[in-house]
Amino acid sequence: AEALPPPDQQDMVKNFSNYRIGPGDKIKVAVFGADELTREGVVDAAGNFSLPLAGSVTAGGKEPEQLEQEMATKLAGRYVKNPQITVTVLEAVSQTFTVDGSVRQPGVYPITGRMTLQQAVATAKGADEFANVNNVVIFRTLNNRKMADLFRLKDIRSGRLTDPDIYNNDIVVVGENATKRFFKDVTGAFPLLGSFIP
């Protein structure tokens, strides 16, 4: 099967509309009609960004639109009558992916450097006892369309398939072996099942 295509730059930029800004991200804050207030820079380690006249603003954890509104409120009235602010993410350092399903630690993790499917599963502390590693799905948004592809970790580990790259906003879901889960649940409820001894 052909691997999922990587998101192009446009997809990445589109994803930034609901992207949460984080430390190390490079952003541009433009104030319409007040070029002297426009600023480009890196969000500091504490998640703050400073803008002339507005001072330091917490950017970390906010979507660009939320940051625009907060900065507009800080500047309104005092310096600019009706500030029109645009926040653009120029470089996203704090990109994330999600791992869910039959893994030991599901969650949202940062992408640091190149990330592959095997590394993504390992980041979530590996597959759990109920995992079906031949049923691993990557969900990705391309051109505003959600796409998915199924992978067999066994084939990737043996080298028969290449280990696909993981990108910002990807969701990795490790499937569950329903039979294993069923037997675990049933033997938990009926400890003697399986012995069949009169």
Side-chain angles (χ1 to χ4, degrees):
E2 197 176 327
L4 272 175
D8 61 21
Q9 276 311 108
Q10 254 186 323
D11 285 313
M12 295 293 230
V13 171
K14 275 182 205 149
N15 287 341
F16 288 158
S17 60
N18 59 2
Y19 173 78
R20 292 194 181 276
I21 297 164
D25 286 352
K26 187 176 182 184
I27 63 172
K28 179 180 180 179
V29 179
V31 184
F32 183 73
D35 289 345
E36 68 280 3
L37 296 180
T38 294
R39 181 149 186 273
E40 231 177 75
V42 175
V43 176
D44 71 19
N48 298 318
F49 187 83
S50 52
L51 190 68
L53 302 178
S56 186
V57 180
T58 303
K62 295 193 174 110
E63 294 174 9
E65 199 177 315
Q66 293 171 313
L67 189 56
E68 288 166 3
Q69 289 165 358
E70 192 174 321
M71 288 182 162
T73 306
K74 275 200 158 195
L75 287 174
R78 292 186 300 179
Y79 310 107
V80 186
K81 195 174 179 188
N82 185 16
Q84 302 292 307
I85 295 177
T86 310
V87 173
T88 311
V89 179
L90 301 175
E91 281 174 33
V93 174
S94 56
Q95 298 186 29
T96 59
F97 65 97
T98 302
V99 187
D100 206 354
S102 284
V103 288
R104 289 190 174 90
Q105 267 187 25
V108 178
Y109 295 96
I111 295 177
T112 48
R114 182 172 175 247
M115 177 65 63
T116 67
L117 179 57
Q118 277 194 96
Q119 290 169 327
V121 173
T123 302
K125 302 288 184 257
D128 69 15
E129 60 181 309
F130 304 113
N132 177 355
V133 291
N134 291 325
N135 187 8
V136 179
V137 181
I138 298 176
F139 293 94
R140 182 171 296 156
T141 303
L142 295 163
N143 300 319
N144 283 338
R145 280 174 50 229
K146 280 220 180 297
M147 296 178 81
D149 205 350
L150 181 70
F151 296 91
R152 294 167 58 96
L153 275 186
K154 208 160 75 176
D155 289 347
I156 293 168
R157 287 172 182 153
S158 70
R160 279 199 299 274
L161 276 180
T162 54
D163 196 3
D165 286 330
I166 298 297
Y167 295 94
N168 187 41
N169 293 329
D170 277 1
I171 299 168
V172 174
V173 180
V174 177
E176 181 176 279
N177 184 324
T179 312
K180 271 188 186 174
R181 168 75 70 184
F182 172 77
F183 277 111
K184 169 94 173 170
D185 291 348
V186 169
T187 53
F190 307 101
L192 295 176
L193 186 79
S195 55
F196 290 119
I197 296 167

